[in-house]
Structures are given as C-alpha cells and as structure tokens.
C-alpha cells in the first residue's frame, strides 16, 4: 500500500462525522447543557453534507481500492445525513423527557452514521466489515442507553450476542470468498465470478 498516495477526498464526509463525534465527546466534559451537543452534531452533519455535495462532480475519487466517492455512495451519504439530522432534532426534547439526556448519545449516533456512510462507499469486503462493526457497536450501546429500564439492557445484550455471531459468519464467508477468488476487492470478485473461476 502506498501511504503517500491516499486520497482522503473519497472519505472526507466520513472523517468529518467521526471528528465531530470526538469533538462532542470532549465537549461533553465541559458543558452541562446537552442541547449544545445536539447543535454541534447538526453542524457536523451539515458540513459533511456540504462536502458530499461538493465532491459530487463525477470524478469518483478513491481511497486506494478500499472506498470510493461515486454518485451512489454520495447519494447514500446524503440520505444517512438527513436521517441523522432529523434524529438529532427529534431526540433533543425526547431525551430530556425520558430522563436520559446523556451527551454520549450524540457521539454514538454520529459514529453509527459514520459506519453507515463508510459501508455505502466501501469497495472491499474488509472495509464493509470495518464499517459494519463501527455501526453495530454504536447501536449496541444506543440500544442499552436507557439505564433505568431493564428491557433496554436486555435488548442491548441480545443485540450484542446476535451481532457477535453474525460477525463470525460474515468473516467466515469473507474468508471463503477470498479463498475462492484470491481477493477481497468487490470489483475483482465480480470479475472472477464472471469468468467462472
């Protein structure tokens, strides 16, 4: 892998979302007003959406052979970002009303969004797996966020166990595909299967 040739433009929206999540995690230490964190989340989502729109010019930049910013992935980015923005807006009052106004909610929501965005732009099975784990681990914690409810902890544990088994099956399938085709790149796998090899 040529480290100097990495094109970070292809994954710029995902990087912005992850950096925003980390900033919110740090800002949570210094503020007691959690609505500020919600608006910081919205700011990061808007910046990522603007960057996604800006790089949507038909050049399809690639992050080596691991991720691509083509029309399909950028459209999915916008869908995920609009959904996240709506989720943040809806959750501001809901979290206060339910007594679980935790700052880490916004961090986990943004990390899950980053995982979804990375999965939409993935061109390699290992990137798909990495994105799925980023998404899943954030959702495990979000499922159990309501600490006062026993059902919330139960659902998080069940989701975690199901996800652990599913990850094992996915990795086994990736290993079988790699053994059959000699690659984890989706385009090369398609070419190998088209040849009947």
């Amino acid at each position: 892998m040529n480290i100097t040739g990495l094109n970070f433009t292809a994954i710029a929206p995902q990087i912005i979302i992850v950096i925003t999540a980390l900033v919110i995690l740090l800002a949570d230490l210094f503020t007691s007003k959690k609505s500020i964190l919600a608006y910081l989340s919205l700011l990061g989502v808007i910046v990522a959406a603007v960057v996604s729109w800006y790089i949507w010019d038909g050049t399809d930049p690639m992050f080596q052979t691991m991720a691509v910013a083509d029309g399909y992935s950028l459209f999915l980015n916008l869908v995920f970002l609009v959904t996240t923005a709506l989720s943040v807006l809806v959750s501001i009052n809901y979290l206060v009303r339910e007594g679980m106004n935790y700052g880490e909610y916004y961090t986990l929501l943004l990390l899950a969004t980053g995982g979804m965005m990375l999965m939409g732009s993935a061109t390699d099975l290992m990137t798909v797996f990495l994105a799925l784990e980023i998404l899943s681990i954030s959702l495990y914690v979000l499922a159990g966020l309501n600490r006062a409810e026993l059902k919330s902890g139960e659902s998080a544990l069940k989701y975690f166990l199901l996800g652990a088994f599913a990850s094992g099956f996915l990795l086994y399938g990736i290993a079988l595909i790699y053994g059959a085709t000699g690659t984890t790149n989706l385009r090369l796998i398609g070419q190998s299967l088209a040849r009947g090899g």
Side-chain angles (χ1 to χ4, degrees):
M1 178 183 281
N2 182 12
I3 301 298
T4 58
L6 294 177
N7 186 354
F8 288 99
T9 306
I11 57 170
Q14 292 90 329
I15 292 173
I16 291 168
I17 288 295
V18 171
I19 289 174
T20 305
L22 296 177
V23 167
I24 289 170
L25 193 62
L26 290 174
D28 186 30
L29 298 172
F30 302 105
T31 182
S32 59
K33 195 171 182 183
K34 305 304 180 186
S35 61
I36 293 174
L37 303 178
Y39 297 121
L40 273 175
S41 303
L42 283 176
L43 179 63
V45 166
I46 291 169
V47 171
V50 168
V51 169
S52 293
W53 186 264
Y54 178 75
I55 62 177
W56 198 339
D57 60 0
T59 58
D60 296 351
M62 290 196 73
F63 185 76
Q64 289 289 346
T65 59
M66 307 300 277
V68 66
D70 58 0
Y72 175 75
S73 65
L74 293 173
F75 172 75
L76 288 178
N77 282 358
L78 293 176
V79 169
F80 297 144
L81 291 169
V82 167
T83 305
T84 301
L86 293 174
S87 298
V88 169
L89 289 172
V90 167
S91 63
I92 294 173
N93 293 327
Y94 174 78
L95 294 175
V96 173
R97 189 171 66 245
E98 294 295 319
M100 50 180 195
N101 195 16
Y102 309 124
E104 58 266 23
Y105 169 82
Y106 301 104
T107 298
L108 292 166
L109 186 63
L110 288 176
L111 288 175
T113 304
M116 287 185 270
M117 292 167 64
L118 185 60
M119 192 180 303
S121 64
T123 57
D124 192 278
L125 288 175
M126 297 314 296
T127 309
V128 170
F129 176 73
L130 177 67
L132 181 65
E133 289 305 306
I134 293 171
L135 167 65
S136 298
I137 291 171
S138 301
L139 291 181
Y140 300 156
V141 182
L142 282 172
L145 193 66
N146 192 354
R147 301 167 191 163
E149 281 286 333
L150 186 61
K151 292 184 288 188
S152 180
E154 180 184 350
S155 66
L157 180 61
K158 287 179 178 178
Y159 186 23
F160 171 73
L161 292 175
L162 177 67
F165 282 110
S167 295
F169 285 121
L170 176 63
L171 282 176
Y172 183 62
I174 290 173
L176 290 177
I177 290 173
Y178 179 77
T181 63
T183 183
T184 56
N185 184 277
L186 295 174
R187 183 178 56 83
L188 296 178
I189 289 170
Q191 290 176 357
S192 177
L193 294 176
R195 289 194 306 265

